[in-house]
């Protein structure tokens, strides 16, 4: 009797072609799910007969309430090595092994720069005007050369964003709770005296912190009001680092010039969400990690995780 494996949230229908799932065919039947399911009742019903589930990052949370409704589940594979939407303790208590996959650090910095450049050169309104026979040139672009890029976080992603900023001739500064002048210097950037100083002096502020107790809600009304009215905020990290209501107010009231956003507290973004309509926001549907090379790594490792689990030697265990 073969085991059953569900691959969830395969939005692009790409999972089947980006890994060699045939390596499992003797022991596992694999089924791809392309549509996202928000309703836990329907999700539990659809997945109750599966022993293995592969999930894509935080698209579908696996809290204790869902896990306890999946008595057959033995292996949960999440892409990436960190997933705050999976209750690892509840999974362990239920005898469910949770494994992760490798990922590539380059895609998110690339998208970060796509958002910065899109905002600076007003690419969306200029593109829309061109396609609709609107005005030929209606905006003035914001120069990057000589402007200040402020990075909240200088880890794997932030340091890559910094290098591009330096290549554009920007003045780059960074701040995080544990960042030292020595570490900032190694990346070729300045250490900001404080988060407040970084916000007050930067023309572009880009968020690259890990979500945790200290970073949740880090940017609220007081912090956003410190930013220049000509400044832009970019968030390709985690939505809860920025207080949602404060950001909406900042954008509507003109405390800042605009924002580039790739992450949201609820995904997919509801059809009536205000971020879909604000004119000074450049939004993308959490594309930071969504590239062919990254998906090949994710799904290739997922197959490897399953094979290792079946052999009794799980790899990349998270619980």
């Amino acid at each position: 009797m073969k085991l059953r494996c569900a691959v969830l949230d395969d939005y692009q229908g790409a999972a089947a072609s980006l890994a060699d799932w045939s390596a499992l065919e003797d022991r596992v039947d694999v089924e791809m799910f392309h549509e996202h399911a928000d309703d836990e009742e329907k999700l539990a019903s659809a997945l109750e007969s599966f022993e293995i589930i592969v999930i894509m990052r935080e698209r579908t949370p696996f809290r204790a309430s869902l896990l306890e409704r999946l008595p057959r589940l033995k292996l949960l594979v999440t892409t990436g090595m960190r997933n705050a939407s999976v209750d690892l303790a509840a999974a362990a208590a239920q005898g469910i092994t949770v494994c992760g996959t490798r990922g590539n650090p380059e895609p998110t910095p690339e998208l970060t720069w796509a958002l910065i450049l899109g905002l600076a050169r007003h690419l969306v309104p200029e593109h829309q005007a061109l396609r609709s026979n609107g005005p030929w040139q209606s905006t003035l672009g914001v120069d990057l050369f000589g402007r200040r890029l402020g990075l909240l976080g200088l880890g794997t992603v932030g340091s890559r964003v910094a290098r591009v900023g330096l290549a554009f001739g920007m003045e780059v500064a960074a701040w995080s709770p544990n960042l030292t002048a020595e570490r900032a210097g190694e990346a070729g950037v300045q250490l900001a005296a404080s988060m407040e100083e970084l916000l007050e002096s930067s023309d572009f502020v880009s968020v690259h912190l890990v979500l945790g107790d200290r970073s949740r809600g880090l940017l609220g009304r007081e912090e956003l009001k410190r930013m220049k009215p000509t400044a832009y905020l970019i968030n390709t990290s985690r939505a809860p680092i920025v207080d949602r209501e404060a950001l909406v107010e900042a954008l509507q009231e003109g405390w800042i010039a605009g924002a580039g956003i790739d992450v949201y507290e609820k995904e997919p973004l509801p059809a009536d969400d205000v971020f879909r309509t604000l004119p000074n926001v450049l939004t993308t549907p959490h594309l930071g990690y969504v590239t062919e090379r990254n998906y090949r790594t994710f799904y290739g490792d997922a197959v490897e995780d399953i094979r290792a689990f079946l052999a009794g030697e799980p790899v990349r265990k998270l619980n």
Side-chain angles (χ1 to χ4, degrees):
M1 187 75 175
K2 288 186 180 182
L3 301 177
R4 300 189 69 201
C5 170
V7 179
L8 302 189
D9 295 316
D10 178 24
Y11 295 160
Q12 297 88 355
S17 64
L18 294 179
D20 183 13
W21 299 94
S22 67
L24 305 172
E25 62 186 8
D26 289 345
R27 299 186 61 183
V28 181
D29 284 326
V30 180
E31 183 176 346
M32 312 296 178
F33 288 76
H34 307 301
E35 301 298 325
H36 178 73
D38 273 329
D39 186 273
E40 186 175 293
E41 182 85 23
K42 293 180 179 178
L43 189 62
S45 177
L47 298 177
E48 62 184 359
S49 63
F50 289 87
E51 291 86 4
I52 303 168
I53 298 175
V54 177
I55 61 176
M56 178 58 73
R57 303 296 292 264
E58 293 89 5
R59 288 178 183 173
T60 297
F62 272 70
R63 309 298 189 197
S65 59
L66 176 59
L67 291 169
E68 67 186 13
R69 302 179 67 171
L70 303 174
R72 296 178 65 91
L73 184 59
K74 298 301 178 188
L75 173 64
L76 179 64
V77 177
T78 174
T79 54
M81 289 299 292
R82 183 188 295 118
N83 190 332
S85 72
V86 174
D87 191 327
L88 296 177
Q94 201 171 309
I96 300 168
T97 299
V98 182
C99 295
T101 72
R102 293 170 298 169
N104 303 302
E106 297 84 8
T108 298
E110 292 171 4
L111 183 75
T112 298
W113 277 104
L115 291 174
I116 292 174
L117 291 166
L119 288 165
R121 290 304 186 94
H122 310 289
L123 292 186
V124 172
E126 292 288 6
H127 168 77
Q128 290 173 337
L130 192 66
R131 293 291 292 268
S132 62
N133 292 317
W136 181 265
Q137 298 184 8
S138 60
T139 64
L140 285 175
V142 177
D143 292 277
L144 298 184
F145 181 84
R147 297 300 177 95
R148 194 173 208 228
L149 171 63
L151 302 175
L152 288 173
L154 194 64
T156 302
V157 174
S159 59
R160 282 175 165 78
V161 173
R163 289 201 290 271
V164 178
L166 293 169
F168 275 122
M170 301 184 78
E171 175 189 328
V172 184
W175 177 90
S176 69
N178 299 316
L179 183 62
T180 64
E182 180 182 13
R183 171 70 187 91
E186 290 172 355
V189 309
Q190 303 172 20
L191 173 64
S194 64
M195 181 179 72
E196 291 74 19
E197 187 270 331
L198 184 84
L199 296 173
E200 291 167 359
S201 62
S202 296
D203 299 293
F204 294 85
V205 175
S206 193
V207 180
H208 302 290
L209 295 168
V210 174
L211 179 62
D213 292 338
R214 288 193 298 176
S215 62
R216 186 179 297 274
L218 184 69
L219 297 184
R221 295 182 81 255
E222 180 180 340
E223 290 75 25
L224 293 173
K225 279 192 169 184
R226 289 182 178 273
M227 293 178 63
K228 299 178 182 181
T230 54
Y232 294 89
L233 177 70
I234 297 88
N235 189 4
T236 56
S237 182
R238 290 293 183 270
I241 295 173
V242 183
D243 182 276
R244 173 188 163 87
E245 297 308 318
L247 178 56
V248 170
E249 188 176 3
L251 292 164
Q252 291 176 332
E253 298 297 323
W255 303 348
I256 61 177
I261 307 173
D262 187 48
V263 288
Y264 312 91
E265 294 191 22
K266 181 175 177 55
E267 297 182 5
L269 202 61
D272 61 349
D273 193 278
V274 66
F275 283 134
R276 289 183 180 269
T277 59
L278 286 170
N280 52 351
V281 177
L282 178 54
T283 52
T284 48
H286 206 153
L287 297 179
Y289 59 88
V290 182
T291 67
E292 180 181 345
R293 175 169 166 261
N294 224 18
Y295 270 35
R296 288 190 185 278
T297 300
F298 285 161
Y299 288 126
D301 279 6
V303 171
E304 184 178 277
D305 286 351
I306 295 169
R307 294 185 68 184
F309 175 80
L310 295 176
E313 298 178 353
V315 294
R316 292 183 286 267
K317 280 191 64 177
L318 299 179
N319 67 341

